[in-house]
Amino acid sequence: MNLKEEIEKLKKEKNAVILAHYYQYPEIQDIADYVGDSLGLSQKAAETDADVIVFAGVHFMAETAKILNPEKKVLLPDLNAGCSLADSCPPEQFGEFIKAHPGHTVITYVNCSAEVKALTDIVCTSSNALKIVESLPKDQPIIFAPDRNLGKYIQKETGRDMVLWDGSCVVHEAFSLDKLLELFKKHPDALIIAHPESEDHILKTANYIGSTAGMINFVKEHPKNKFIVATEVGILHKMKQEVPEAELIPAPTQEDNTCACSECAYMKVNTLQKLHDCLLNETPEVSVPKETMEKALIPIQRMLDLS
C-alpha cells in the first residue's frame, strides 16, 4: 500500500478530516478533504463533524481550528510550521501597545498566535478585512495588527485612520519591484495579481489585489489570460487545476533562489510522510490553554458571523 492509500485508510479508521492551505506541497493539497485560504479553512474547521482534524498548514491555523473545536483532537504534521508574521507580534508587547491606545477597537489578522487573538475584539482574514473594518462606525478608532502592509492597504481602500502594529510576512516582502517590472516587459499582456500582504510598491503595479481565494476566483473569471502571481508559489497548483488554460508566472523575488519565486519555508516543513505519521500516531497534537481558548473564541466567532 502506498502512502496516499495508507492516509486514506487511516482517515476512515479515525474519522479524520485533512484541511490544507493553498501554500502546501501539491501532493498534500491533492489528498486533503478541503484546500483553502485562512477564512475558508476556519469555516470548514467550525463545521466539521470529524473527531480528528489534521491541519496541513502552519501553527496559528491549527490553533484556530482547536479554538473552534475544543473537544476535537487537532494535529499538525510538524510543530515547526510557524509563521514570520505571527512571530512579529509577541503577546506581551502587543498587550502594552493596546494599553497605550485606549478606546481603540482591536482588529487582528488571523495570522497571529492564540494569545494575541485573546487580546482582540475582532479577527479578520485578507478575504474579509475590508468588510470587517467597514462594519465599524466611521468615528471608531482602530488598532490593526500584525501586518502593516495589509493595514496600509485597508487604510487606503477605506480612508479609515488606523494605528498599525509594525509586523510583516517575509514571503510577501520578498518580491522585487525591479525584477517584476523586467518580467512585465517580457509579458506586457499579463495581468499582475497580488496578495495585500505585499508591499505598497508591488500593490501599485497590480491589476487585482486579494486573498488567495480571491486571486483564484479572479483567474477563473479571466481564464484565457496570462497572470504574474505575487503570493507564495504553492497557490499555482490549485490555480492550474481550476483554470488549466491560463498561463501562470510566479512573481520574482529579490533572492536568486532555485524556484525564482517566493516560498514559505514554514509551510513547506509539512510533508506527505509527516502527514501520514501524525495521523498514525495522533501526534503532534496542538493544544491551547482553556482560558486563552475561551477569550480567543469570541473575536473569531465575531469574524465568522460577519462573514
Side-chain angles (χ1 to χ4, degrees):
M1 203 186 304
N2 68 26
L3 214 49
K4 284 187 174 179
E5 288 168 348
E6 282 182 37
I7 290 168
E8 291 293 351
K9 181 168 166 276
L10 285 166
K11 218 165 63 171
K12 287 192 183 80
E13 281 172 12
K14 295 172 186 275
N15 186 26
V17 65
I18 298 170
L19 306 179
H21 193 274
Y22 290 125
Y23 297 164
Q24 292 291 293
Y25 282 120
E27 57 270 26
I28 291 179
Q29 293 188 44
D30 289 343
I31 203 161
D33 298 287
Y34 177 80
V35 181
D37 63 358
S38 295
L39 177 61
L41 290 165
S42 298
Q43 288 168 327
K44 286 290 168 191
E47 65 193 34
T48 185
D49 55 4
D51 296 317
V52 177
I53 298 170
V54 181
F55 216 112
V58 293
H59 196 267
F60 77 80
M61 297 176 177
E63 275 186 339
T64 304
K66 182 64 182 177
I67 292 161
L68 288 162
N69 297 278
E71 306 308 316
K72 295 184 194 298
K73 188 172 272 193
V74 177
L75 307 173
L76 186 66
D78 190 327
L79 286 179
N80 291 316
C83 169
S84 61
L85 181 52
D87 291 345
S88 73
C89 189
E92 301 79 15
Q93 288 174 31
F94 189 55
E96 293 301 315
F97 187 76
I98 293 168
K99 280 182 198 155
H101 299 90
H104 285 61
T105 294
V106 182
I107 299 178
T108 58
Y109 188 30
V110 71
N111 301 40
C112 63
S113 66
E115 289 81 11
V116 167
K117 287 182 178 75
L119 299 168
T120 297
D121 295 307
I122 312 174
V123 169
C124 73
T125 72
S126 49
S127 296
N128 60 21
L130 282 170
K131 186 179 180 182
I132 282 171
V133 168
E134 286 175 331
S135 74
L136 296 175
K138 286 213 170 4
D139 58 350
Q140 176 59 46
I142 295 167
I143 289 172
F144 188 88
D147 193 283
R148 62 169 181 262
N149 293 321
L150 179 59
K152 283 178 193 167
Y153 169 69
I154 292 163
Q155 274 183 315
K156 199 170 131 224
E157 291 295 304
T158 61
R160 299 297 288 266
D161 186 24
M162 302 195 297
V163 180
L164 305 181
W165 176 266
D166 191 20
S168 64
C169 162
V170 292
V171 173
H172 289 100
E173 289 210 322
F175 296 115
S176 163
L177 182 60
D178 294 341
K179 287 186 184 177
L180 179 61
L181 295 174
E182 280 299 312
L183 185 64
F184 187 62
K185 275 185 200 165
K186 291 180 197 163
H187 303 279
D189 52 338
L191 295 173
I192 298 171
I193 60 174
H195 194 282
E197 283 179 46
S198 306
E199 290 180 292
D200 189 48
H201 57 253
I202 298 292
L203 298 183
K204 279 177 181 162
T205 68
N207 300 94
Y208 173 80
I209 299 166
S211 68
T212 42
M215 291 166 93
I216 289 172
N217 287 332
F218 184 80
V219 173
K220 277 183 176 173
E221 286 161 15
H222 306 82
K224 300 239 178 330
N225 287 29
K226 185 189 286 189
F227 300 90
I228 295 171
V229 183
T231 190
E232 210 274 357
V233 71
I235 197 175
L236 297 184
H237 179 64
K238 183 55 81 176
M239 273 185 182
K240 279 177 186 156
Q241 286 180 332
E242 298 275 349
V243 196
E245 63 271 42
E247 188 179 340
L248 306 170
I249 307 160
T253 60
Q254 283 141 2
E255 285 183 34
D256 292 315
N257 57 11
T258 50
C259 69
C261 60
S262 201
E263 277 200 310
C264 175
Y266 290 117
M267 284 281 185
K268 300 305 196 241
V269 299
N270 295 320
T271 63
L272 204 59
Q273 183 68 56
K274 287 177 188 174
L275 194 150
H276 166 271
D277 295 348
C278 92
L279 194 49
L280 177 68
N281 303 315
E282 297 188 22
T283 181
E285 187 176 352
V286 172
S287 60
V288 180
K290 189 168 183 288
E291 190 186 350
T292 305
M293 247 193 309
E294 286 168 356
K295 284 180 180 169
L297 179 61
I298 297 163
I300 294 170
Q301 198 56 57
R302 280 182 189 141
M303 171 188 79
L304 293 173
D305 293 344
L306 282 165
S307 304

